[in-house]
Amino acid sequence: MKGSAAQTAAAYFRAWRKGDVQAMARLAYQPPPNFVVLHRELSDELHVESIQLTSGQLKSTGEESAEVPFAGVRQLSEFGAWPFDGVLRLAVRDRAWKVLWTPETLHPLLKGGGTLELSEIESSAAELVTSEGDKIPNDSYADSYLDQLKPEFEQANHGWALVSKVPGQPDRRLMVRQPEAKVERTTLSRPVQAAAARALDGVEDSTIIVIRPSTGEILALADRLKESYSAVRDVFPPGSTFKTITAAALLKAGLNPSDQLPCPGTYTIPSYRPFQNDGEVDRGLVSFTDAFAYSCNTTFVEQATTRLTVEDLRETADEWGFGRPIATGIGGTCGTMAETDDQNMFGADAIGQGEVVATPLCMAALAAAVQNGTWRSPRLLSEKQVRRIDGEPFGDVRLDERIVGALREMMAAVVDHGTASEAGLPDGVAGKTGTAEVPDGESHGWFIGYRDDLAFCVFVRHGGSGRSAAVPVAVRFLKGL
């Protein structure tokens, strides 16, 4: 008889450790034709990097049969060490000790037609969280923007599951490595976003955008606009909120907040059309600040068409953000004021009608610029991610301190005794209402404003006046913080 059980077992384990499958096949009795393929396919399938084998005590099971228990550890690239136990059975065949090989010699779970497989688990979608690292509040009305961002942060890696499959039995997962979720912080603030969303509950076709003036970070973006309109990309006539820019142009031209100006119920541009105040209210002679606070259309049309050129107003609008794209991470734009040589159109533009249009994002940035004295490009992501996705943002624009100071005084007057007074706004709020007449339905309602290091724009499409539609949303938002 050739050799011994111990010698054959030792040779088999030695060849197995080396990965010499051909030598293992020579030590086995009548190995299957695919013996080599089975070993190599299992190693490839499971991504085996190495194997360790420790043999136990040889045990005789008959005059010409024996078995050796052994412990093995396969090192899998996805899971690390994966231990298993097995038994190597031997017998005398053709006057020599041979290994009686079966699939379970390779691994016990291969018995009875079983297979072992490494299954890929799809990586989970990127998880976008608040600036604090919290989950975005439920029903935040920000989903469409966040869903748009997720593909930007998808991972290439996947998770894995080591699966045992036995005919007639349900698959069994032996080990699982879940894909790590790609977590990306937005600039959204959990409490601010929650307050903004709740302020819009029950208000159809509306949006509120909140910005931190000192950084340009978007703290809240709640959007319930219908018909796939976007608060950051679609433009609407801004109504009297645009008087903030017209006021800046007039201040630059030499007007002072205390200057006394007429506010008649109707004013007609010489040789052109008439313009009216809301309800054709005649307020007589008022300060420039009060003309702004009461939103005197007639004052602003007269002063703009007599003191400014169209180019003067356009240049001021551009200084305060108009005419430029906004790199938020989700794209965006501000607004436009078209060139015109028609005085009627110029007069209408000066009060936010005519052809001037803006996004709610643009008007929130305008309010933030008044509060801080610097126009900053709003962003929803870190500066690094914004540059990666949207490109280099427009640089900060430091604004004239005298003009900024005057606008703060004038916006405070709007809340103190003007069109947003006695509406329940908390102390410290300054703002500007706007009502934009449109040909396809009821007017759009606007309200822009700020309090401390927080600026906002409320827009209610076809909601009516700024005071009746937008200001109450701002009240609920600010009181909900």
Side-chain angles (χ1 to χ4, degrees):
M1 184 182 303
K2 185 178 179 182
S4 67
Q7 290 172 332
T8 300
Y12 190 86
F13 286 126
R14 190 163 51 249
W16 197 354
R17 290 187 189 100
K18 292 179 179 180
D20 188 350
V21 185
Q22 299 285 0
M24 294 164 66
R26 289 194 294 270
L27 292 167
Y29 177 70
Q30 295 183 353
N34 60 346
F35 179 90
V36 174
V37 172
L38 287 172
H39 282 72
R40 289 180 176 163
E41 282 186 348
L42 183 67
S43 292
D44 292 342
E45 171 66 26
L46 303 188
H47 299 177
V48 178
E49 296 177 334
S50 63
I51 188 168
Q52 297 176 349
L53 299 164
T54 304
S55 57
Q57 187 79 27
L58 179 77
K59 178 183 177 182
S60 175
T61 56
E63 289 186 6
E64 294 186 342
S65 62
E67 60 183 32
V68 181
F70 66 93
V73 178
R74 286 184 171 92
Q75 192 73 22
L76 309 185
S77 60
E78 274 70 41
F79 296 103
W82 181 43
F84 68 102
D85 295 317
V87 177
L88 187 71
R89 292 182 171 82
L90 305 102
V92 176
R93 294 290 187 270
D94 299 331
R95 300 180 60 79
W97 281 95
K98 293 283 188 179
V99 172
L100 300 182
W101 190 90
T102 58
E104 58 262 39
T105 309
L106 195 53
H107 194 284
L109 291 175
L110 300 179
K111 184 178 181 179
T115 59
L116 290 167
E117 297 179 10
L118 199 60
S119 298
E120 200 171 67
I121 301 174
E122 288 188 10
S123 63
S124 57
E127 182 181 3
L128 298 169
V129 298
T130 66
S131 60
E132 304 90 348
D134 299 325
K135 289 185 177 297
I136 305 295
N138 292 330
D139 302 321
S140 67
Y141 304 132
D143 292 346
S144 62
Y145 297 102
L146 299 177
D147 290 344
Q148 172 189 338
L149 270 175
K150 286 179 180 178
E152 294 288 346
F153 299 101
E154 286 182 350
Q155 298 189 120
N157 66 308
H158 300 273
W160 298 94
L162 181 58
V163 181
S164 170
K165 297 186 176 185
V166 178
Q169 297 181 25
D171 293 353
R172 183 161 60 101
R173 285 187 172 186
L174 306 175
M175 290 193 291
V176 176
R177 194 191 80 187
Q178 293 288 355
E180 293 182 8
K182 172 67 175 177
V183 177
E184 184 68 27
R185 293 193 184 214
T186 66
T187 61
L188 297 177
S189 161
R190 179 177 175 80
V192 180
Q193 180 68 40
R198 298 295 70 79
L200 293 188
D201 284 347
V203 185
E204 297 290 331
D205 219 358
S206 59
T207 187
I208 179 169
I209 298 179
V210 185
I211 294 173
R212 178 176 283 132
S214 60
T215 63
E217 294 168 296
I218 297 174
L219 303 181
L221 175 51
D223 189 345
R224 298 195 68 196
L225 294 176
K226 292 182 175 180
E227 300 175 27
S228 299
Y229 278 111
S230 164
V232 305
R233 288 183 291 274
D234 290 311
V235 293
F236 308 90
S240 292
T241 59
F242 189 75
K243 287 174 183 169
T244 309
I245 287 176
T246 306
L250 289 169
L251 289 163
K252 185 190 295 186
L255 267 182
N256 293 306
S258 59
D259 286 347
Q260 299 295 300
L261 305 169
C263 177
T266 300
Y267 171 76
T268 301
I269 302 174
S271 302
Y272 290 92
R273 57 161 279 201
F275 289 83
Q276 292 84 30
N277 289 331
D278 185 26
E280 295 190 49
V281 174
D282 185 340
R283 295 189 179 275
L285 206 61
V286 297
S287 68
F288 186 27
T289 293
D290 282 350
F292 185 86
Y294 298 130
S295 205
C296 291
N297 289 338
T298 55
T299 304
F300 274 79
V301 171
E302 180 181 9
Q303 298 305 314
T305 55
T306 57
R307 294 174 181 265
L308 303 174
T309 65
V310 173
E311 189 58 31
D312 291 335
L313 188 56
R314 287 187 68 251
E315 284 181 0
T316 303
D318 289 349
E319 184 180 8
W320 288 79
F322 277 56
R324 65 183 65 142
I326 299 179
T328 60
I330 51 171
T333 190
C334 192
T336 58
M337 178 187 163
E339 291 189 22
T340 181
D341 55 6
D342 181 350
Q343 282 291 92
N344 286 333
M345 187 61 68
F346 180 30
D349 284 343
I351 57 174
Q353 297 285 166
E355 294 181 340
V356 64
V357 288
T359 61
L361 175 67
C362 182
M363 301 312 286
L366 170 62
V370 174
Q371 190 278 342
N372 185 260
T374 298
W375 185 92
R376 289 185 171 86
S377 184
R379 58 184 174 85
L380 188 62
L381 297 169
S382 69
E383 293 176 353
K384 177 181 177 181
Q385 294 293 2
V386 166
R387 284 193 292 271
R388 180 180 69 84
I389 297 170
D390 278 352
E392 193 68 29
F394 198 90
D396 295 351
V397 179
R398 187 68 186 167
L399 301 161
D400 185 293
E401 292 182 9
R402 181 187 69 84
I403 293 173
V404 168
L407 290 176
R408 290 172 185 157
E409 177 185 326
M410 296 164 79
M411 290 178 74
V414 171
V415 177
D416 178 68
H417 57 269
T419 54
S421 63
E422 298 180 358
L425 288 164
D427 292 341
V429 176
K432 182 69 187 82
T433 58
T435 304
E437 296 178 0
V438 289
D440 60 339
E442 196 171 359
S443 299
H444 300 327
W446 294 82
F447 184 52
I448 64 172
Y450 62 84
R451 183 178 67 167
D452 299 325
D453 197 17
L454 184 152
F456 58 85
C457 171
V458 177
F459 173 65
V460 185
R461 184 168 169 262
H462 298 308
S465 73
R467 178 180 175 85
S468 65
V471 172
V473 173
V475 171
R476 288 197 298 274
F477 163 65
L478 293 166
K479 290 187 173 180
L481 290 172

